[in-house]
């Protein structure tokens, strides 16, 4: 076998089977046992056993790679001799290897079932000098210190070093025992120059000794703190025993205070039992331990809850009505429902049974209504915003096993109000989310269910707490995003958008006074006329609520405050219709969104959004083409389907024009719904789309100030839709004088505001024929005669239709 090594050293290009190693670097003169489990490596070992028992072992750059490629292996490895080997029952081979010499891979060779490599030997270069001897001795001494400080290397290695006289062997022995990463070991393996190898070992050993010193210092500090903590615990327990024997109770003042709080909290029997048990645990703990802090916080939380503390309700219904009227203008039906609710509470003396949910567009006063209810009945009010909440623990709390655990927000709110019957407003309940941390909407089911919330269990408390006396009020902008099970537990009260005269009164009586006080302006220093507030609403805002109106009034107040502060206006500053633009700039909106002229192919539809009702001016244009339907205005899938249904009906109706069977294959129909940048969806524009198409086909204009809503079927039936109240308010705001509603929505007419019913003629329709009769300026026979007269659909000289 020695002859084989000599031939290897003499031959610049030898071929050996290759075994990649995952997480070990084998050095020359090193004996080690390895388990070979990968099939290519097993084949390489068997090939070596059959020939000369020589292998090349190379370390992988990444130990996690199962099938290493050439680039996954280092270029320098060790030629080893196979000693004892035997096969294990699981198919792996345990091999004893002896490192012989360094080798540089010139190229890898892919054999049938294993990897081989052409290897060039790396010769050992050693320059004898006094410096080398000194370096040898220093490295040996440093490694001896390293072994003494490290508990991972056996002391027998020190004695083994004494027998080594060869400098190269010493450096390889030390390198193999160092607890350093494989990258540094690979650098040492690649160094044929012994002097350079010892220099690098000297540097590595000094760095490792410095790290060991730091680790030793940290361990000593930790041990010192542990001993101190144990000593304090021992002395603390000893002091308790001594004071107990002497009859001195002073040392128990803190625990006695906690026990007193537990007994005075009037909590449930189960809660008191758990709290006293935790107190006993706390007595046995060292006050310095983190667990003691957790237990102390738990006892503090559970004793500070309002187990039996409540405020006295003021259920004088007339006073409550007066308070609601003072705080909110309008909302007659909403206030009536709230007063009915409170009347039932007064008679039954309990709140159980109903959870109110205020649904309406932003800015109509949902949150402020909750505050007014709390103030009117004399209860404390707290608001809990649920928008964007994703974690179920926000409602139920975290278990105490987690670091930084705390109760859920319901329990936190009760602790904050110090009463068990506050008004808790769950704001934006329609904007709850869910992810891997749970579904907070499902957690709310227990909170809002009158049959379950007597025994609400928070994960942090781990004891039942009665929240049935809490008056829960929820708010939402829309209903379809609320889970059905949660929606079923609430009574829905809709808050429609404000009418123009209501906004004017709110602006004069509430918003103007609030902003004057906020900006430090007295009533004598500034006045805003009725006409100015009306123009702010018409030309500077487009909303169902009054938030934007309040912002505009605030903007005026800031400009007036600056004038007063600069001393430019010693008298009363009067904001009028004529000088409104000086404060708010150019108007942003037009008074009406309805086209004032009779136009063919233009119908007015109605939409319902989170902001309330909106007007849709749906336009249709015919042009020569290939029979395509072009839809623009960011229409959603449902709205696109409505347009296709409307076109099918309109084409069927247009057969009266006798244009020929192939006529529609040569005409394109373009439907546009402004504004183009705003996405739209829903079926309620079907009626207005069909009307606009038939208007275009028959060249008959749609009447001015007529608006419509409803879903259409292929047979021309008009089906009911939602948001009638909001749509009617938008129609009134836009100047509509006739409103066409599906017969299925006839029941909703009684819920419409009185101003809508007084100023708009409401017509219920069952089919598109009734819609056309009420909306078109002429009957269809006029359009048939006109089209036959001009001989088709397109005539550039056709005059505009008259009413």
């Amino acid at each position: 076998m020695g002859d084989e090594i000599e031939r290897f050293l003499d031959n610049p290009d030898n071929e050996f089977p290759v075994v990649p190693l995952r997480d070990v670097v084998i050095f020359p003169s090193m004996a080690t046992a390895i388990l070979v489990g990968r099939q290519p490596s097993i084949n390489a070992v068997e090939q070596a056993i059959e020939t000369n028992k020589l292998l090349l072992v190379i370390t992988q750059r990444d130990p996690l790679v199962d099938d290493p490629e050439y680039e996954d292996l280092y270029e320098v490895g060790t030629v080893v001799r196979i000693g004892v080997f035997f096969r294990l029952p699981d198919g792996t081979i345990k091999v004893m290897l002896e490192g012989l010499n360094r080798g540089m891979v010139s190229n890898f060779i892919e054999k049938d079932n294993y990897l081989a490599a052409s290897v060039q030997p790396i010769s050992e270069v050693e320059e004898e000098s006094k410096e080398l001897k000194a370096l040898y001795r220093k490295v040996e001494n440093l490694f001896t210190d390293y072994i003494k400080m490290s508990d991972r290397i056996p002391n027998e290695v020190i004695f083994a070093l004494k027998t080594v006289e060869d400098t190269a062997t010493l450096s390889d022995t030390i390198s193999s025992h160092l607890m350093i990463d494989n990258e540094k070991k690979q650098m040492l393996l690649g160094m044929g120059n012994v002097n350079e190898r010892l220099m690098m070992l000297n540097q590595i050993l000094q760095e490792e000794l410095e790290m060991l010193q730091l680790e030793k210092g940290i361990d000593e500090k930790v041990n010192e703190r542990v001993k101190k903590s144990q000593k304090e615990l021992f002395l603390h327990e000893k002091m308790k025993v001594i004071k107990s024997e002497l009859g001195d109770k002073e040392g128990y003042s803190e625990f006695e205070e906690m026990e007193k709080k537990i007994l005075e909290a009037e909590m449930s029997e189960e809660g008191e039992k758990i709290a006293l048990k935790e107190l006993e645990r706390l007595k046995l703990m060292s006050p310095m331990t983190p667990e003691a802090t957790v237990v102390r916080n738990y006892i503090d939380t559970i004793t500070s809850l309002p187990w039996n503390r409540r405020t006295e309700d003021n259920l004088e219904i007339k006073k409550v009505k007066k308070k609601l009227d003072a705080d909110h203008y309008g909302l007659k039906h909403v206030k009536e429902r709230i007063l009915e609710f409170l009347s039932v509470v007064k008679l039954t003396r309990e709140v159980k049974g109903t959870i109110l949910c205020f649904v309406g567009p932003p800015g109509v006063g949902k949150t402020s209504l909750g505050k007014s209810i709390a103030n009117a009945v004399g209860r404390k009010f707290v608001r809990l915003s649920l928008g964007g909440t994703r974690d179920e623990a926000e409602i139920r709390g975290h278990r105490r096993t987690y670091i930084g655990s705390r109760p859920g927000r319901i329990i936190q709110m009760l602790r904050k109000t110090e009463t068990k019957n506050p008004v808790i407003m769950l704001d934006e309940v329609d904007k709850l989310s869910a992810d891997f941390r749970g579904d907070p909407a499902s957690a709310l089911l227990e909170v809002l269910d009158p049959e379950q919330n007597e025994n609400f269990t928070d994960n942090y408390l781990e004891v039942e707490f009665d929240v049935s006396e809490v008056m829960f009020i929820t708010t939402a902008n829309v209903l379809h995003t609320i889970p059905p099970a949660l929606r079923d537990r609430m009574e829905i009260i809709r808050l429609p958008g404000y009418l123009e005269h209501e906004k004017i009164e709110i602006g004069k009586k509430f918003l103007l006074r609030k902003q004057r006080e906020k900006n430090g302006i007295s009533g004598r220093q500034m006045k805003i006329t009725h006409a100015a507030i009306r123009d702010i609403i018409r030309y500077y805002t487009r909303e169902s609520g009054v938030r934007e109106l309040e912002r505009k009034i605030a903007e005026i107040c800031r400009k007036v405050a600056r004038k007063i502060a600069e001393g430019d206006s010693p008298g009363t500053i009067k904001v009028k219709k004529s000088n409104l633009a000086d404060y708010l700039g150019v108007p942003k909106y037009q008074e009406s969104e309805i086209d004032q002229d009779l136009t063919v192919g233009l119908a007015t539809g109605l939409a319902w959004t989170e902001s309330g009702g909106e007007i849709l001016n749906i336009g249709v244009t015919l042009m020569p083409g290939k029979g395509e339907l072009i839809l623009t205005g960011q229409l959603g899938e449902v709205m696109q389907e409505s347009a296709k249904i409307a076109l099918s009906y309109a084409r069927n109706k247009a057969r009266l024009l006798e244009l020929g069977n192939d006529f529609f294959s040569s005409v394109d129909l373009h439907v546009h719904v402004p504004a183009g940048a705003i996405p739209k969806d829903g079926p309620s524009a079907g009626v207005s789309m069909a009307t606009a198409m038939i208007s275009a086909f028959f060249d008959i204009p749609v009447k001015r100030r007529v608006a419509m809503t409803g879903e259409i079927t292929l047979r021309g039936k008009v089906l009911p839709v939602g948001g009638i109240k909001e749509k009617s308010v938008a129609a009134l705001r836009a100047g509509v004088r006739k409103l066409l509603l599906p017969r299925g929505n006839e029941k909703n007419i009684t819920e419409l505001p009185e101003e809508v019913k007084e100023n708009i003629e409401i017509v219920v329709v069952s089919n598109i024929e009734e819609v056309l009769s009420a909306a078109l300026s002429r009957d269809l026979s006029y359009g048939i005669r006109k089209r036959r007269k001009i001989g088709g659909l397109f005539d550039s000289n056709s005059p505009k239709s008259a009413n």
Side-chain angles (χ1 to χ4, degrees), residues 498-549:
Y498 290 113
L499 301 175
E500 183 179 279
H501 78 274
E502 291 176 326
K503 290 184 180 181
I504 292 172
E505 293 300 320
I506 292 169
K508 287 166 57 179
K509 294 181 178 179
F510 299 96
L511 304 182
L512 179 57
R513 181 175 58 191
K514 176 182 174 181
Q515 289 301 323
R516 277 199 301 225
E517 292 175 358
K518 190 174 180 179
N519 290 277
I521 303 171
S522 67
R524 282 185 286 182
Q525 290 175 308
M526 183 193 81
K527 293 187 182 298
I528 301 180
T529 64
H530 179 97
I533 293 178
R534 184 194 62 210
D535 280 12
I536 294 173
I537 296 166
R538 287 182 178 178
Y539 305 118
Y540 293 91
T541 66
R542 270 294 181 272
E543 59 178 345
S544 296
V546 291
R547 281 184 184 159
E548 187 64 21
L549 174 61

Side-chain angles (χ1 to χ4, degrees), residues 728-761:
S728 67
V729 171
L732 179 65
R733 191 169 60 230
V736 170
R737 291 293 174 263
K738 181 183 285 188
L739 178 60
L740 309 183
L741 297 179
R743 189 166 296 279
N745 291 116
E746 190 172 8
K747 61 182 181 297
N748 301 111
I749 296 177
T750 57
E751 301 174 1
L752 299 183
E754 290 299 324
E755 189 173 354
V756 170
K757 292 188 281 188
E758 290 173 1
N759 292 278
I760 296 180
E761 178 189 354

